[in-house]
Amino acid sequence: MPKHVIVIGAGPAGLETSANLAKLGIAVTLVEKEESTGGHVKQWHALFPALLPGTEALDAIRKGMPENVRVQNKTTVTGIEAVNNYFTVSGHNGWQEKADAIVFATGFQLFDARRKEEYGYGIYENVITSADLEEMFATGKSLVNRHGNKPERIGFVHCVGSRDEKVNNLHCSKVCCITAVKQAIEVKQMLPEAEVFCFYMDLRMFGRHYEELYKEAQEKYNIQFIRGRLSESAEDQDGNIVLKVEDTLLGKPLRIKAGLLVLMVGMEPLAGTKSLADKLGLTKVPDGFIQPADEVLQSNFTELPGVFVAGACSGPKSVSDTLADARSAALAVAGFLKL
Amino acid sequence: MKLEGKRLIWQEYQKEIADDHYFYARSCIRQTFFPGAEAVFVKILKEELGKDIHDEKHHTSCTGIGYHSDVVPFDTTMTVVARQFALMTEAGYENYAASCVTSFGLYTEILDTWHHFPETEAKIREFLFKATGREFNKPKNLAHASDIVYKFRHQIAGKAKYKLVDKDTGEPLKVVEHIGCHYSKMFPHKGIGGAEYPYVLSGMIEAWGGEVIDYPERRHCCGFGFRQYLVQANRGFSLSCSKKKFDSMEPYEPDMIITNCPGCPMFLDRWQYALSEMEGKTYGKGKNGIPVFTYEEVAGLIMGYDPWEIGLQVHQVPAEPLLEKIGIPYDPDRKFKGKNGEDLGMPESPSYLKFYADK
Amino acid sequence: MEKKARQFGYTITRDRQIDYDANKHDISKIVAAAEPSLNLCISCGTCSATCSAALFTDFSLRHVILLLRRGETSGLAKEVAKCMLCGKCQLVCPRNVSTRNLIIQISKAVIPAQL
């Protein structure tokens, strides 16, 4: 009897894990709460650093998906139980299956920017999030403020909901710095006359070609970087957003208006991940992200045999890191199943 | 601005406010700064709303000014506040209503301290007992007086003679609301609407027909800041903070400013005089300033109380242009007359700010 | 000596380098012991951006913390006196530094040292 694995979540991590497991001859059920697969990347116009379109990335990942992957869509996993040497997983709609191993590929949720009340998201029309901007790019909506005018100045605020203990998120979301640089360039391509400012605490350009993109943003697009974190925003009579930061390198408080303010919302652990982990008895879920058995040597294993992690459910990851992590998870599962 | 976004936040910051039977503690300074405000509050609660309110004669300062100016230690402050609670207990009340925003903030801070450090509460109980022989219950409900007016804002609107509306155009008046820092900046969940978008005064303004202005420096402090004002050498900071706010609100052409703190209306009002004398600058139309009110005075005005009986003649920025805009009658001859018609004397006319004593 | 310098027509230019080894670090140790969250500052400047005092003076808690950490403590008493202890910085600090107490502890530590 072929081995059967249930992969929870059909974003890039779940898709890539499933495809690789299937190629190794394992029957896979890929459970997805939404109707279609693809996760957050469905809404993402283009991926850094080379501006690969999100849909193209997903098409490539889905392409050649083996037949022994069955997608159980529109199913939210509500129950998960370890019974002897197998697992029982059940959904909100009565679906239930057994499996020899489970892969958490539940991903992340975007930080709800309304929680930073002082930034005015949901209150001031011209405060949007990086996800909103990406959707505007994807749908081809033109960048206009509420009066229908092109904004003359656009500000990007890094670390919104990340590295901020006031919202209980100590972690760095890893992708926002480079996403801000990418989006700043895209905005500048759409509105060459506009001024673009990035407000940051630290610029974490650790990935391959990130530094190059940062340099391009300076060299080719004259994007300005101010080292200071937003303390509050307000609205003026014309709907411009008035920002208060400290220009920390000059050592003076700075006030600046922007016609459009983009909040770089970070990754938070998905609320449902923690409750599923609790049901299984996983104890190492310190901040809502599942902690692998060993972060260096066993990054896809959990403390429970037969339970694996892939992608951003164990911590923020870029799409390329997620795909590599997913392939690695598939091998870890295969090794566990002694194939 | 999307009002529904603010409404979502306001829903998150609501608090329980007692319905009746209040133990009222007045402010140290408000009766000098805005002498009618507290009397109007008591009158509206007793006479218009039929509430039971105990106007305590024997309470002292909460020591907030001294505490925030670093001259009164916290233990002393807590013991003095414990005495106020003892007076409340002895009078048979459990709903404490503070007139002063700083007192309210301090009571909140002390109750929170005692919640986290019960041994501190036990120590203070002992201090109070040794010093005065008194014992106390903690308030069942602690509210700032503006919370109570907020709670009954619709009843007040129902009985009101006037609205915050331009009588000629029917347009709502443009109102700046200014909240005392100690109301909710320290404990956002203890203030109606929280710290970033407080609703306590906005709710009154909406209910009474006005339109709230959200200007960029709305959150900024009036500049009182105790240590800023009390030390003369620092007083320029206080003035400069108010100026920052006036400069920011001026383009919106506000008709009035409403506040809920003892210090804010004092400084937002008097500093307009200082700024006009120092720079020749006035912030209202013509040579007028932007009149500044306490929420109680505004409640009194819309109820139809006589402007001079509620103390508007002691405002530095004259209220007359606003009274005329709403259509509230007043007798210019009685502005500087006492209760029995005696002459109270007239202040010196400012150099720039328009003065309304001339007949 | 000043007379000599005038006579020569030039003076010795004092070094503006932070002499980390010559500086005394006891004050930063005392403050860190009293308020350990001192060590959590990442110099993001949110405190200074929201600071009421910083609008009108050159007060910056971010700057004060850096001076303290480098042992540049000679001017600190004057610096911390500019703070009005309103606590707005504490509301916005992303690292939960207990900023208000930190300033009180710096004042306590530096004032006796400079008397």
Side-chain angles (χ1 to χ4, degrees), chain A:
Chain A
M1 189 175 164
K3 298 287 185 180
H4 179 223
V5 174
I6 293 177
V7 176
I8 306 171
L15 287 167
E16 189 74 357
T17 306
S18 301
N20 282 277
L21 283 171
K23 281 174 199 161
L24 294 166
I26 299 167
V28 178
T29 303
L30 176 56
V31 199
E32 170 55 45
K33 64 184 172 191
E34 288 178 21
E35 185 160 2
S36 61
T37 61
H40 293 280
V41 177
K42 275 185 303 203
Q43 281 93 33
W44 220 255
H45 176 58
L47 306 177
F48 59 78
L51 302 186
L52 174 69
T55 48
E56 234 176 77
L58 279 179
D59 286 347
I61 297 167
R62 290 189 190 114
K63 199 176 155 191
M65 181 67 75
E67 281 182 1
N68 49 346
V69 174
R70 195 183 72 76
V71 177
Q72 173 70 35
N73 67 345
K74 291 192 274 184
T75 303
T76 303
V77 174
T78 49
I80 187 163
E81 202 184 351
V83 191
N84 299 325
N85 55 350
Y86 63 89
F87 299 90
T88 307
V89 182
S90 47
H92 75 288
N93 48 7
W95 165 83
Q96 193 177 59
E97 273 180 26
K98 286 177 186 172
D100 299 293
I102 290 171
V103 180
F104 274 84
T106 47
F108 64 93
Q109 64 190 36
L110 281 171
F111 175 75
D112 178 1
R114 280 177 300 192
R115 284 172 60 203
K116 288 301 287 176
E117 289 175 13
E118 64 273 32
Y119 290 2
Y121 182 68
I123 290 177
Y124 304 129
E125 278 96 344
N126 294 325
V127 178
I128 65 171
T129 67
S130 44
D132 296 336
L133 182 63
E134 205 65 35
E135 200 189 320
M136 289 162 92
F137 290 153
T139 54
K141 261 203 276 183
S142 50
L143 278 178
V144 289
N145 64 19
R146 66 168 187 197
H147 299 306
N149 300 324
K150 287 177 185 169
E152 289 168 12
R153 189 183 290 147
I154 295 113
F156 286 85
V157 181
H158 292 225
C159 299
V160 176
S162 308
R163 304 181 67 201
D164 184 356
E165 295 196 44
K166 287 292 187 284
V167 293
N168 211 16
N169 286 336
L170 177 60
H171 64 271
C172 164
S173 291
K174 281 176 85 173
V175 298
C176 330
C177 277
I178 182 66
T179 302
V181 169
K182 179 202 80 119
Q183 291 188 334
I185 289 175
E186 287 170 299
V187 162
K188 195 74 183 172
Q189 286 169 342
M190 290 170 83
L191 307 171
E193 303 298 311
E195 285 183 299
V196 179
F197 287 83
C198 288
F199 301 94
Y200 69 96
M201 297 199 280
D202 297 294
L203 282 177
R204 297 186 165 177
M205 297 294 157
F206 56 91
R208 180 75 177 132
H209 292 137
Y210 292 10
E211 191 67 24
E212 285 83 343
L213 200 65
Y214 172 30
K215 191 179 168 194
E216 188 182 328
Q218 295 175 291
E219 199 170 26
K220 199 168 159 190
Y221 296 99
N222 194 24
I223 289 157
Q224 301 295 310
F225 292 84
I226 295 183
R227 191 188 177 284
R229 185 174 170 273
L230 182 68
S231 71
E232 64 175 67
S233 62
E235 192 185 57
D236 75 1
Q237 273 177 304
D238 302 319
N240 289 312
I241 306 301
V242 184
L243 311 180
K244 286 186 183 180
V245 301
E246 189 202 5
D247 187 326
T248 58
L249 302 179
L250 268 179
K252 287 177 95 172
L254 172 83
R255 181 191 144 106
I256 185 171
K257 278 182 192 176
L260 187 69
L261 186 69
V262 185
L263 306 178
M264 303 308 300
V265 285
M267 294 185 185
E268 280 194 321
L270 190 75
T273 301
K274 171 96 173 97
S275 65
L276 282 184
D278 285 347
K279 284 196 174 86
L280 258 180
L282 284 174
T283 56
K284 289 186 192 162
V285 194
D287 53 3
F289 289 117
I290 298 174
Q291 189 163 315
D294 186 288
E295 286 178 88
V296 178
L297 300 171
Q298 293 184 293
S299 58
N300 297 111
F301 292 82
T302 67
E303 58 193 290
L304 290 180
V307 180
F308 298 85
V309 285
C313 68
S314 66
K317 283 178 188 65
S318 66
V319 175
S320 55
D321 285 350
T322 292
L323 294 176
D325 196 53
R327 293 188 282 270
S328 149
L331 278 180
V333 175
F336 169 76
L337 296 175
K338 298 194 172 60
L339 288 168

Side-chain angles (χ1 to χ4, degrees), chain B residues 255 269 272 287-293 308 312-323 335 350 353-357:
Chain B
D255 292 299
D269 182 50
Q272 288 193 60
K287 281 196 157 188
N288 289 306
I290 307 168
V292 186
F293 300 89
W308 308 143
L312 300 194
Q313 62 275 58
V314 307
H315 287 205
Q316 184 72 61
V317 178
E320 282 89 337
L322 182 87
L323 301 178
K335 184 169 182 181
L353 201 57
K354 199 167 167 187
F355 191 49
Y356 284 79

Side-chain angles (χ1 to χ4, degrees), chain C residues 31-96:
Chain C
V31 174
E35 184 46 71
S37 70
L38 161 71
N39 296 334
L40 300 178
C41 176
I42 50 175
S43 294
C44 70
T46 319
C47 51
S48 314
T50 202
C51 176
S52 301
L55 295 174
F56 303 111
T57 70
D58 59 359
F59 178 67
S60 162
L61 178 57
R62 180 188 56 76
H63 192 67
V64 164
I65 291 173
L66 287 174
L67 291 174
L68 187 66
R69 283 174 166 177
R70 304 291 181 265
E72 298 274 292
T73 51
S74 63
L76 278 183
K78 211 177 141 193
E79 285 304 310
V80 289
K82 295 171 187 166
C83 168
M84 291 166 288
L85 293 173
C86 76
K88 272 177 84 184
C89 46
Q90 195 146 342
L91 294 179
V92 295
C93 175
R95 276 296 183 89
N96 272 347

